[in-house]
Amino acid sequence: MSYYKKEYKDFKKDKDKKKDFDLIKEIIIKGLFHINMDVNFYDFDKILIDLDSLLSIVIREELSADRDERIKLAHTIADAINEFIEAYIDTNTINVYYNLNEYKVFSDIYPDWCKVRNDRFKNESIVGFLHKYIINHLKKASDKINNFNIIKCDDAPIITIFRDIKLNPKLKYVVISRDPHYNCIMSYYDISIFNGRDLVDRGSLKYLKDLPDINYTMLPFYYLIRGMDRNEYKGVKLYGQKKTEKYINENLTTLITWEDPILEEVKPYKNIFFLNDLKIDS
């Protein structure tokens, strides 16, 4: 079971033990702050936040029809984000990226990509609520704070974030997202990623149990073969983490030359993970 799925399962299980608002705030705070307070983001030039990922727990839940309940939820989310902004705004530039709409670029390549999430984005009640109470709040904050920006993405936030890193690769970036798709960016640029549990970089791959012990340049191959549960991409049948890791380490030459037979069935989907090969309008 993936870390995110376990976290959501625990959330559902604990709903009767805590108020929903407290749990939602707790999960959002955990998505922004490392549990070890000695681990922080002050040394980074830019903090890039994938808001779609951060708010995924809200998108997955049914929204109360009660206006007071909605407003309380809005305050809960805003308070969590404000806490992060206040912690870092004096030392870092913070960019918040959002779309809150269907991810068409990747689903055009692989139709089942983020299928459940894309369906949830069609729920006008939830998406409208987030725009009214959260996006508008962040837009007002960006008008007042010089080094805080909220950026509307035309498609999946990872596409815009990858483009922005590519435009200025010498800066030191940390991306905040639970989406493992961002790990593929490490194959191109020396960034860090906070996934709600670990601060991941190129050097930590061999030490973190949910990540493969492979050379970082092979991460797109890893997910192409292994699959990506969070985004509903299946990969090659019967290839789990350890089997994929072993296969990559034993077949580097045939993989990087695209001559390996294991790639035949998944090659049509390669541009999802080899982001530099993704042809989109800038």
Side-chain angles (χ1 to χ4, degrees):
M1 179 184 295
S2 71
Y3 165 64
Y4 177 79
K5 283 188 175 180
K6 181 180 184 304
E7 183 179 63
Y8 185 69
K9 185 178 179 181
D10 291 343
F11 168 78
K12 299 292 284 186
K13 183 173 64 177
D14 291 344
K15 282 185 76 174
D16 294 334
K17 298 179 183 178
K18 295 183 181 180
K19 294 180 180 178
D20 289 359
F21 301 114
D22 294 336
L23 270 171
I24 288 171
K25 183 176 181 180
E26 181 180 315
I27 288 174
I28 292 175
I29 287 289
K30 284 172 65 178
L32 290 168
F33 293 94
H34 198 286
I35 192 170
N36 179 356
M37 296 307 293
D38 290 332
V39 179
N40 57 63
F41 312 129
Y42 294 119
D43 291 336
F44 293 94
D45 298 310
K46 286 192 174 185
I47 300 172
L48 313 180
I49 300 174
D50 177 349
L51 192 66
D52 287 17
S53 171
L54 186 67
L55 297 181
S56 59
I57 192 68
V58 181
I59 295 168
R60 290 181 68 160
E61 287 294 293
E62 293 300 326
L63 196 60
S64 171
D66 184 272
R67 183 178 180 275
D68 290 340
E69 292 287 295
R70 289 186 177 212
I71 291 175
K72 188 174 181 180
L73 175 59
H75 284 304
T76 297
I77 298 168
D79 286 348
I81 297 173
N82 287 343
E83 189 173 329
F84 184 86
I85 294 172
E86 290 172 4
Y88 288 103
I89 203 61
D90 290 336
T91 55
N92 305 81
T93 293
I94 302 172
N95 287 355
V96 175
Y97 299 78
Y98 76 98
N99 180 18
L100 298 178
N101 206 340
E102 183 180 358
Y103 298 169
K104 293 182 179 179
V105 169
F106 297 127
S107 58
D108 283 349
I109 298 172
Y110 185 82
D112 285 341
W113 183 265
C114 289
K115 192 172 183 179
V116 171
R117 190 185 307 177
N118 282 339
D119 285 344
R120 294 295 287 169
F121 284 147
K122 296 174 185 175
N123 187 325
E124 294 181 3
S125 176
I126 293 175
V127 173
F129 162 81
L130 292 174
H131 274 282
K132 181 177 180 179
Y133 291 104
I134 305 305
I135 301 302
N136 286 343
H137 166 75
L138 294 175
K139 285 179 177 178
K140 289 177 182 177
S142 70
D143 290 338
K144 298 176 182 178
I145 305 171
N146 289 333
N147 51 332
F148 177 74
N149 307 291
I150 182 162
I151 298 163
K152 174 68 172 73
C153 305
D154 293 330
D155 206 276
I158 189 174
I159 296 173
T160 307
I161 288 174
F162 181 70
R163 180 202 65 196
D164 287 354
I165 293 171
K166 189 175 182 179
L167 287 172
N168 204 344
K170 293 182 179 180
L171 294 181
K172 192 174 182 182
Y173 296 96
V174 59
V175 175
I176 294 181
S177 177
R178 289 185 174 91
D179 189 347
H181 200 182
Y182 284 91
N183 294 342
C184 295
I185 297 180
M186 289 192 293
S187 67
Y188 300 103
Y189 301 107
D190 190 10
I191 67 166
S192 296
I193 300 161
F194 179 58
N195 61 17
R197 183 179 63 179
D198 299 307
L199 186 59
V200 180
D201 58 31
R202 289 173 169 179
S204 64
L205 288 179
K206 63 175 63 178
Y207 304 112
L208 300 176
K209 67 176 184 178
D210 288 339
L211 294 173
D213 185 5
I214 59 174
N215 186 280
Y216 62 82
T217 60
M218 301 302 290
L219 282 167
F221 283 106
Y222 172 78
Y223 289 109
L224 181 63
I225 297 168
R226 162 70 179 90
M228 192 173 280
D229 291 344
R230 178 182 169 92
N231 294 321
E232 300 172 79
Y233 169 72
K234 293 182 179 179
V236 178
K237 189 176 182 179
L238 301 179
Y239 271 75
Q241 178 177 334
K242 292 300 180 183
K243 189 174 180 179
T244 306
E245 178 184 300
K246 184 174 185 291
Y247 192 91
I248 287 174
N249 287 328
E250 292 177 353
N251 298 277
L252 291 173
T253 301
T254 53
L255 287 170
I256 62 177
T257 58
W258 291 92
E259 296 173 350
D260 199 292
I262 200 172
L263 298 173
E264 290 181 11
E265 65 176 284
V266 292
K267 190 174 181 180
Y269 317 124
K270 75 178 188 67
N271 286 0
I272 292 176
F273 307 104
F274 289 85
L275 295 168
N276 222 25
D277 296 336
L278 195 63
K279 305 300 181 185
I280 55 172
D281 296 330
S282 58

